[in-house]
Amino acid sequence: MLPRRTGQRADRAERPPRLPRRTPALLLRATTGYDHRAQALLTDKLLAQDPVGDELTARIAAAQLLAAQLTLTGENQRRLLAGGRAADALPTALDQAHRAFALIEHGLGDYGSGAA
């Protein structure tokens, strides 16, 4: 753990820096390499469990799972940056995570088809 600077507030020391999230170019630079590496690693793990060895399906599944994770992380960061407390946001975050991964598991059904 890094030593705290004199005069630095304790709650500020525990928060991640805001600059990359508020600067689109920095955010893109910070997440692009991660996305490609994470997708390749997850694709490999999914392929290892697939008796057919369908690489395209593994890549698509990895992309969907990581997109859900990235979207949920963004939602959590938005709530915290707006001043919300993590403990207060937890029930909503858990509900959203269950919904997101259920969509991936069960498909989107008729969503986006114009069917009411």
Side-chain angles (χ1 to χ4, degrees), residues 53-77:
D54 184 349
E55 189 171 343
L56 177 62
T57 300
R59 285 183 186 188
I60 291 169
Q64 288 179 335
L65 291 165
L66 291 171
Q69 180 188 26
L70 184 62
T71 301
L72 293 166
T73 300
E75 284 296 306
N76 292 334
Q77 288 178 345

Side-chain angles (χ1 to χ4, degrees), residues 23-110:
T23 309
L26 291 177
L27 180 60
L28 182 62
R29 181 180 284 176
T31 59
T32 299
Y34 166 79
D35 292 345
H36 294 297
R37 286 188 305 274
Q39 185 171 354
L41 290 170
L42 185 53
T43 297
D44 290 345
K45 292 288 185 185
L46 293 170
L47 271 173
Q49 298 176 15
D50 181 2
V52 178
D54 184 349
E55 189 171 343
L56 177 62
T57 300
R59 285 183 186 188
I60 291 169
Q64 288 179 335
L65 291 165
L66 291 171
Q69 180 188 26
L70 184 62
T71 301
L72 293 166
T73 300
E75 284 296 306
N76 292 334
Q77 288 178 345
R78 181 188 58 75
R79 279 191 290 274
L80 296 177
L81 287 173
R85 291 176 13 130
D88 295 338
L90 182 60
T92 300
L94 289 173
D95 177 59
Q96 289 178 343
H98 289 292
R99 287 176 40 212
F101 291 109
L103 282 172
I104 293 171
E105 182 179 6
H106 303 293
L108 294 174
D110 290 337

